[in-house]
């Protein structure tokens, strides 16, 4: 009887955890959980560290995806533009580095140095965070706004509408969303889609 | 005076014509090198698919040479195309390689691997518009595959091995 109960309990745990990991993730309005992840400088970074922030531009990105690389300068520009206004960029590298050694901590450090990243570039060690967010690819952006309940998801999707040519962009989705939040307005376009590299598990 | 203008006009016409011809020949050389690889925006791609035999079952795989899991599963799509072509199945590989890498990466890749399935390039930056048209559940990650025929459509944002592909295609050939 005790064993049956144990098995049953184990089964419940398995079902519950799989239900949480299989591609659900956050929707607009959900409260995002904080994380504590290692930055390229060796320090641990959490959203809670940012006392003065109004919110965050969380970008799941990596070194090895051409789409992510195409957006590196634009992510840096977002941080330069919005960190002081209260919406800093936090970049999280979600790939399994056994599958993609080009995304390991040393490679992340080298890339950040070469590109002069001024935002934290965190390793999702153990790949625990990206499934909670529901990120499926790089780059994949989540804009969060601090509320009394916690960081609330306000935007999910692409950075803009032209991965090939920054100068030919016509819709700046992320900027539009952050601008709206800064002005106390609702985000008009809350979800967009772009091609990206599947996160490597 | 009139004659002079006429001569200049004539010269200009000839010269213009020559330029036009030389441009054409350059274009021909490029397309010969790319073995007539078709590059479409999304509307053109949709229109192209509509020209295909509606009685067939189509397996459309979105991939790129820089996408490791995509490249890994290409042989399974090739094998599927070979094994099921007599059962009215057609595999089409839609490359999302960047336009500037078509000549430098994609064509050398196609030459090296001798892919037998049809390869077309989709070059359309407005992915927020066309991704939901492929499937409303597609986040945009590749590899991604859509299988469809007159009766049925299924979308997969995942990788395949050959056995898994066969299992899926059999659902369409009942």
């Amino acid at each position: 009887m005790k064993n049956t109960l144990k098995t049953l309990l184990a089964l419940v745990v398995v079902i519950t955890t799989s239900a949480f990991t299989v591609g659900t993730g956050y929707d607009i309005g959900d409260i995002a959980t904080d994380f504590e992840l290692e930055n390229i400088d060796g320090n641990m970074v959490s959203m809670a560290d940012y006392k003065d922030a109004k919110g965050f531009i969380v970008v799941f990105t990596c070194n090895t995806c051409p789409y992510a690389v195409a957006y590196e300068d634009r992510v840096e520009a977002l941080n330069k533009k919005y960190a002081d206004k209260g919406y800093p960029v936090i970049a999280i590298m979600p790939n399994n580095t056994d599958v993609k050694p080009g995304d390991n901590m040393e490679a992340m450090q080298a890339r950040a140095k070469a590109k002069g990243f001024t935002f934290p570039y965190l390793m999702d060690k153990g790949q625990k965070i990206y499934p909670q967010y529901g990120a499926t690819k790089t780059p994949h952006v989540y804009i969060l706004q601090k509320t009394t309940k916690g960081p609330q998801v306000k935007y999910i999707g692409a950075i803009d509408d032209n991965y090939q040519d920054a100068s030919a962009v016509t819709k700046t989705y992320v900027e539009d969303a952050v601008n709206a939040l800064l002005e106390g307005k609702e985000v008009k376009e809350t979800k967009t889609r772009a091609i990206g590299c599947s996160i490597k598990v | 005076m009139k004659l002079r203008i006429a001569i200049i006009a004539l010269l200009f016409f000839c010269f213009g014509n020559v330029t036009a011809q030389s441009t054409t020949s350059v274009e021909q050389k490029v397309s010969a090198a790319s073995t007539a690889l078709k590059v479409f925006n999304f509307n053109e791609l949709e229109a192209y698919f509509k020209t295909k035999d509606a009685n067939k079952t189509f397996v459309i795989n979105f991939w790129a040479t820089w996408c490791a899991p995509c490249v890994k599963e290409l042989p399974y799509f090739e094998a599927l195309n070979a094994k099921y072509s007599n059962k009215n199945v057609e595999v089409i590989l839609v490359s999302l390689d960047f336009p500037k890498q078509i000549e430098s990466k994609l064509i050398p890749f196609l030459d090296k691997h001798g892919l037998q399935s049809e390869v077309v390039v989709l070059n359309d930056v407005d992915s927020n518009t066309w991704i939901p048209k492929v499937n409303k559940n597609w986040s945009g990650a590749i590899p991604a595959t859509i299988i469809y025929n007159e009766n049925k459509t299924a979308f997969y944002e995942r990788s395949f091995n050959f056995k898994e592909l066969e299992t899926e295609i059999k659902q369409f050939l009942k």
Side-chain angles (χ1 to χ4, degrees), chain A residues 54 57 81-82 85 87 143-145 154-155 172-190:
Chain A
K54 295 171 185 158
I57 304 169
K81 184 167 181 183
Y82 291 110
K85 293 180 178 168
Y87 280 85
I143 297 178
L144 313 176
Q145 184 180 40
K154 291 289 183 182
Y155 173 84
T172 51
Y173 304 125
V174 165
E175 290 199 18
D176 294 353
V178 178
N179 287 341
L181 294 174
L182 285 170
E183 291 166 19
K185 293 177 184 162
E186 283 300 308
V187 176
K188 274 188 193 143
E189 202 156 12
T190 53

Side-chain angles (χ1 to χ4, degrees), chain A residues 65-67 70 100 136-137 140 161-164 173 189 191-198 200, chain B residues 66 68-69 96 98-99 123 125 127-128 130-132 135-143 157:
Chain A
C65 171
Y67 281 90
K100 281 279 172 191
T136 57
K137 59 187 167 39
H140 204 156
D161 70 347
N162 197 325
Y163 64 90
Q164 284 173 18
Y173 304 125
E189 202 156 12
K191 278 180 163 181
T192 61
R193 283 187 258 193
I195 292 293
C197 308
S198 59
K200 307 298 181 289
Chain B
W66 46 257
L96 291 162
F98 293 9
N123 175 29
V125 292
S127 44
N128 189 43
W130 64 259
I131 286 172
N135 186 274
K136 65 178 170 53
N137 295 321
W138 187 12
S139 79
I142 58 171
E157 185 171 329

Side-chain angles (χ1 to χ4, degrees), chain A residues 29-170:
Chain A
D30 287 351
I31 301 299
T33 40
D34 202 351
F35 39 76
E36 193 182 5
L37 299 172
E38 190 182 357
N39 192 10
I40 43 173
D41 63 5
N43 293 323
M44 302 304 281
V45 172
S46 297
M47 287 193 276
D49 302 335
Y50 293 77
K51 303 289 181 213
D52 299 328
K54 295 171 185 158
F56 302 93
I57 304 169
V58 176
V59 185
F60 290 92
T61 187
C62 68
N63 289 353
T64 54
C65 171
Y67 281 90
V69 170
Y71 274 107
E72 281 172 335
D73 293 340
R74 280 175 266 182
V75 172
E76 174 58 26
L78 282 173
N79 190 55
K80 282 219 172 74
K81 184 167 181 183
Y82 291 110
D84 291 345
K85 293 180 178 168
Y87 280 85
V89 166
I90 298 181
I92 301 176
M93 201 301 293
N95 288 337
N96 179 344
T97 54
D98 291 338
V99 179
K100 281 279 172 191
D103 285 323
N104 67 24
M105 187 47 98
E106 291 74 34
M108 284 167 62
Q109 288 162 345
R111 193 67 195 162
K113 197 177 170 193
K115 297 300 292 184
F117 290 166
T118 55
F119 50 83
Y121 189 18
L122 313 179
M123 169 76 80
D124 187 4
K125 199 179 172 188
Q127 300 187 293
K128 299 278 196 300
I129 297 304
Y130 88 78
Q132 293 185 48
Y133 278 69
T136 57
K137 59 187 167 39
T138 53
H140 204 156
V141 178
Y142 290 75
I143 297 178
L144 313 176
Q145 184 180 40
K146 272 194 190 173
T147 68
T148 48
K149 291 175 282 181
Q152 191 175 32
V153 179
K154 291 289 183 182
Y155 173 84
I156 303 173
I159 292 166
D160 58 42
D161 70 347
N162 197 325
Y163 64 90
Q164 284 173 18
D165 184 358
S167 63
V169 167
T170 59

Side-chain angles (χ1 to χ4, degrees), chain B residues 18-59:
Chain B
V18 169
T19 326
Q21 274 173 357
S22 64
T23 316
T24 319
S25 70
V26 169
E27 273 167 11
Q28 276 167 351
K29 263 184 209 161
V30 172
S31 62
S34 59
T35 56
L37 192 64
K38 295 184 182 71
V39 181
F40 295 127
N41 66 27
F42 187 74
N43 288 339
E44 292 164 347
L45 184 74
E46 259 192 325
Y48 179 64
F49 285 160
K50 279 178 188 148
T51 65
K52 299 253 173 193
D53 181 357
N55 296 314
K56 281 187 173 181
T57 297
F58 292 94
V59 180

